[in-house]
Amino acid sequence: MNFFKNQLLFLVLFFSFLISFGQNNSTDFEPFLSQGKRSFPFLLFSPTNNSSAFKASPLTAESTSGFQFNSYKVLVNLKANVFKKIYTKNNYQLAISGHIDNQFVFKKETSNRFNGVTHSLFNTDYFIYLHNDFVLNNNQFLRVNLFHRSSHLGDDYLLKNDISRATNPDYWAEDPANYETLEVLYAYNKTKIGLYAGISYIVRTDSNRKKLAFQTGGVFKNFETKNDFLNRLFIGYDVRLLENNDYNFNFNGGVGYAFKNNNSLRLEYYNGYLPYSRLENEVKTSWISLAFYYNLEL
């Protein structure tokens, strides 16, 4: 109990600092577009969106295939995305971005060797994107992505589960979480609503991963009230269907508050297979996240 009290106190203090930090600038409020240099809207509630964030997620349910994932209590994501525009002409923009998503796990452990809270790096995902963005008109956008993804389980996790080249040679023969993908996304954005849908196909021919994935989502924003705080709230959702886990329903949704510089604080709920790591089609889980999203551009 003390562990969760201390964790809650830390989160309150941390996000209080972020709230004060997020109010410094005074740009226009548009959470769906967010950063001025990006011509394609953000997929705000997509777990795999290339955005920067700090997320804390107490796990609420787990099912695994022989792994010790269900012993973990809190999942912390540290996500960093750096975006760079390299060419623009008329309604076309070419950009590159790099994305790292580190997932740490925390739990209370009592044993002869240790009594207290332990933490370890569970997994790290790396993405490199080439973005081809087209502004079709004031409200419609098209993006064609070519990206590489690689995913690596942390050493602590591998050791605790006795996953090594000596004991599990077949496990290391091929990594289905490392691949290249061609993705097409369409977005529609107006003052009070933003919607998107997309399809992706893995182009690496030597991967045994099933190749198709579908995604759709939306955000409802800019509520007209007399209260400035309520006007900056937004709600949204994201749904992903992957052939790799037999098109099971992966849902993420929640509510957020956009600061004046379009950083945002969000409360999110996720239910589905892990949206990252080699275990994504083996671990089905759900969690509630408190997340702060911030902007990094070059």
Side-chain angles (χ1 to χ4, degrees), residues 53 70 78 82 93 122 150 154 194 208 221 236:
N70 58 353
L78 296 177
V82 178
Q93 176 177 283
F122 165 61
S150 60
N208 61 1
K221 52 198 169 68

Side-chain angles (χ1 to χ4, degrees), residues 61-104:
E62 314 83 20
S63 63
T64 66
S65 300
F67 295 102
Q68 295 180 15
F69 187 81
N70 58 353
S71 67
Y72 299 127
K73 302 303 181 185
V74 179
L75 184 70
V76 173
N77 290 64
L78 296 177
K79 302 170 61 177
N81 174 263
V82 178
F83 180 92
K84 174 66 175 177
K85 179 174 62 176
I86 57 177
Y87 176 78
T88 181
K89 184 176 182 180
N90 299 328
N91 293 330
Y92 170 74
Q93 176 177 283
L94 177 67
I96 56 174
S97 68
H99 179 73
I100 300 176
D101 185 356
N102 291 300
Q103 301 105 34
F104 296 86

Side-chain angles (χ1 to χ4, degrees), residues 233-247:
L233 292 179
F234 57 91
I235 59 175
Y237 68 95
D238 177 88
V239 174
R240 296 175 72 234
L241 302 169
L242 280 71
E243 183 184 6
N244 200 51
N245 57 29
D246 299 322
Y247 298 112

Side-chain angles (χ1 to χ4, degrees), residues 221-281:
K221 52 198 169 68
N222 295 319
F223 300 107
E224 292 184 0
T225 72
K226 295 180 180 179
N227 187 299
D228 183 63
F229 176 84
L230 295 178
N231 291 342
R232 289 182 170 275
L233 292 179
F234 57 91
I235 59 175
Y237 68 95
D238 177 88
V239 174
R240 296 175 72 234
L241 302 169
L242 280 71
E243 183 184 6
N244 200 51
N245 57 29
D246 299 322
Y247 298 112
N248 279 276
F249 198 75
N250 299 301
F251 172 85
N252 192 65
V255 58
Y257 176 83
F259 300 111
K260 292 182 179 181
N261 57 3
N262 281 317
N263 293 339
S264 63
L265 184 65
R266 307 180 200 174
L267 185 66
E268 302 178 356
Y269 171 75
Y270 179 80
N271 188 284
Y273 285 87
L274 284 178
Y276 43 72
S277 95
R278 292 185 63 161
L279 306 181
E280 63 180 351
N281 65 339

